[in-house]
Amino acid sequence: MLFARPLAELIAELERLPGLGPKSAQRLAYHLLRVPEAEADRLAEAIQTAKRKLRFCDVCQNISEAASCEVCLDARRDPTTICVVSEPRDVIALERLNEYHGLYHVLHGLLSPMDGIGPEQLKVHELVVRLSDNVKEVILATNPTLEGDATALYLNKLIGPSGVKVTRLAHGMPIGGELDYADSATLLSALEYRREM
Amino acid sequence: MLFARPLAELIAELERLPGLGPKSAQRLAYHLLRVPEAEADRLAEAIQTAKRKLRFCDVCQNISEAASCEVCLDARRDPTTICVVSEPRDVIALERLNEYHGLYHVLHGLLSPMDGIGPEQLKVHELVVRLSDNVKEVILATNPTLEGDATALYLNKLIGPSGVKVTRLAHGMPIGGELDYADSATLLSALEYRREM
């Protein structure tokens, strides 16, 4: 056995994380063995606390500490506009702009028939339910990728007939890029020139 | 507040890890929120178990579960040869060759006066103590870098007068490279052609 067992187990768990190969996992494991025990404990506890304390907002499905998230509870937000995104990190990207004052809806994924991901695997039903609540506009802010565009087309077909205005983020972003990595200026112009579908 | 507090805390702890920027830390945090709770728990527990169960071997200072490590306890290993390395991961790199059958000594660092790391900050005293035990050869297998060479020169001066044969890994490796990343063939030739200092 090359590694002592607790070390081998730590490396194996770290290797399961996305973007970490065997070498990076080993380096991180040795790093954790070197740091003070209190620091390693803080990481371990942060993982467990985050898992136990966080849930999805009942309304918008974003990550939340309570049954409803801070955005949904904020009376200053405009409840007539819902911005639909794929991931919680996309909400962060849009909130950083300080320009959007409506509500959100997080799908937790994009349509991908090849991977067996249909509307039932996404928070689509939870979005449809919200449309009766005096909603005037739904902004489709999925990534400008194959899956993001397919998801936007699907949602437009689904929501369009209800009479709600459906818009899509302008293609100011580089095609094939990811919302999460766009710079604020690009993202802002994409938001500003959103077009009706 | 952009992130829910437990999420912000998890991201902050992940960002402290070497090689992880804010974006990678966020991606890992969201990944951990998505995986089953049991999987996140396994990672958290692996961190804490590794911290609590692992220690340094009393003899060679490598990472060990017991007071003496498996290599030091293995009667088939040649106790007359000690291979001195900087880090525990260097022991792994050499053990993978299945060619070296002596013992090890882990310094846990390299001399670096600029960073205030002198012989007292390394496991040098613990190495000197072992030389009385019928040791015939000490192989200096520190990285072929500025600090690695300086450490080898220092140890040669310290150990040489005792009459023990002191050798250095052959410079088959690219200068400036790190032992941990060398391919096995290169490392093997460096071990084979080690030269007496």
Side-chain angles (χ1 to χ4, degrees):
Chain A
M1 188 172 59
L2 285 180
F3 298 103
R5 201 166 43 81
L7 178 58
E9 282 167 4
L10 175 56
I11 293 171
E13 290 304 327
L14 288 169
E15 269 188 56
R16 300 171 68 99
L17 298 176
L20 287 187
K23 276 281 174 192
S24 318
Q26 280 176 41
R27 297 237 155 184
L28 284 186
Y30 284 123
H31 168 83
L32 288 169
L33 290 182
R34 257 196 314 267
V35 301
E37 189 161 310
E39 187 174 331
D41 278 349
R42 276 206 311 277
L43 172 59
E45 283 156 18
I47 292 170
Q48 295 185 311
T49 304
K51 281 307 270 192
R52 297 207 186 349
K53 288 212 179 158
L54 294 176
R55 45 171 296 171
F56 292 154
C57 168
D58 284 344
V59 183
C60 75
Q61 310 298 321
N62 195 8
I63 290 164
S64 171
E65 276 191 272
S68 293
C69 75
E70 292 186 22
V71 172
C72 286
L73 288 174
D74 187 344
R76 290 163 304 178
R77 310 284 304 208
D78 169 16
T80 66
T81 310
I82 296 178
C83 181
V84 179
V85 296
S86 165
E87 301 292 342
R89 59 175 180 258
D90 299 330
V91 173
I92 303 291
L94 286 159
E95 281 298 283
R96 273 206 201 95
L97 302 178
N98 271 322
E99 279 289 327
Y100 176 70
H101 306 296
L103 302 179
Y104 291 97
H105 192 84
V106 181
L107 295 172
H108 291 279
L110 292 169
L111 290 180
S112 180
M114 298 276 284
D115 303 315
I117 300 176
E120 314 74 39
Q121 277 73 46
L122 306 178
K123 304 292 185 184
V124 169
H125 173 72
E126 290 81 353
L127 172 62
V128 173
V129 166
R130 296 176 67 187
L131 298 182
S132 50
D133 301 347
N134 198 27
V135 173
K136 289 186 182 137
E137 179 178 0
V138 170
I139 305 173
L140 300 176
T142 51
N143 287 329
T145 56
L146 205 65
E147 287 88 1
D149 285 338
T151 307
L153 282 171
Y154 169 83
L155 290 176
N156 183 42
K157 260 196 187 166
L158 188 72
I159 300 169
S162 71
V164 174
K165 182 172 162 188
V166 181
T167 58
R168 176 106 175 88
L169 281 196
H171 272 180
M173 290 172 280
I175 301 297
E178 289 187 48
L179 211 97
D180 183 30
Y181 279 84
D183 63 277
S184 292
T186 309
L187 197 51
L188 200 58
S189 84
L191 181 68
E192 192 176 348
Y193 296 108
R194 65 185 186 266
R195 57 190 164 70
E196 195 156 352
M197 286 185 75
Chain B
M1 189 173 56
L2 284 179
F3 297 103
R5 201 167 41 80
L7 178 58
E9 282 166 6
L10 175 56
I11 293 171
E13 290 304 326
L14 288 169
E15 269 188 54
R16 300 170 68 97
L17 298 175
L20 288 186
K23 276 281 176 194
S24 317
Q26 279 177 42
R27 295 235 155 185
L28 283 186
Y30 284 124
H31 169 83
L32 288 169
L33 290 182
R34 256 195 317 267
V35 300
E37 189 161 308
E39 187 175 330
D41 279 349
R42 277 206 310 278
L43 172 59
E45 283 156 17
I47 292 169
Q48 294 183 312
T49 305
K51 281 306 272 189
R52 299 214 184 344
K53 288 212 178 160
L54 294 176
R55 43 170 297 172
F56 292 154
C57 168
D58 285 343
V59 183
C60 75
Q61 309 298 321
N62 194 9
I63 290 165
S64 171
E65 275 191 273
S68 293
C69 76
E70 291 187 21
V71 173
C72 287
L73 288 174
D74 187 344
R76 289 163 304 179
R77 310 285 304 209
D78 170 14
T80 67
T81 310
I82 295 177
C83 182
V84 179
V85 296
S86 165
E87 300 292 342
R89 59 175 181 258
D90 299 330
V91 173
I92 303 290
L94 286 159
E95 281 298 283
R96 272 207 201 94
L97 303 176
N98 270 321
E99 280 289 327
Y100 176 70
H101 306 296
L103 303 180
Y104 291 97
H105 192 84
V106 181
L107 295 172
H108 291 280
L110 293 170
L111 292 180
S112 180
M114 297 277 284
D115 304 316
I117 299 177
E120 315 73 38
Q121 277 74 48
L122 307 178
K123 303 290 185 183
V124 169
H125 173 72
E126 291 81 352
L127 172 62
V128 173
V129 166
R130 296 175 68 187
L131 298 182
S132 50
D133 301 347
N134 199 27
V135 173
K136 291 187 182 135
E137 180 178 358
V138 170
I139 305 173
L140 300 176
T142 51
N143 287 330
T145 56
L146 205 65
E147 286 88 359
D149 285 337
T151 307
L153 281 172
Y154 169 82
L155 290 176
N156 183 43
K157 261 198 188 164
L158 188 73
I159 300 170
S162 71
V164 174
K165 182 173 161 188
V166 182
T167 57
R168 176 107 173 87
L169 281 195
H171 271 181
M173 292 174 277
I175 301 296
E178 289 187 48
L179 211 96
D180 184 31
Y181 279 84
D183 62 277
S184 293
T186 309
L187 197 51
L188 199 57
S189 83
L191 181 68
E192 194 177 346
Y193 297 107
R194 64 186 187 265
R195 57 189 165 72
E196 194 157 352
M197 285 186 76

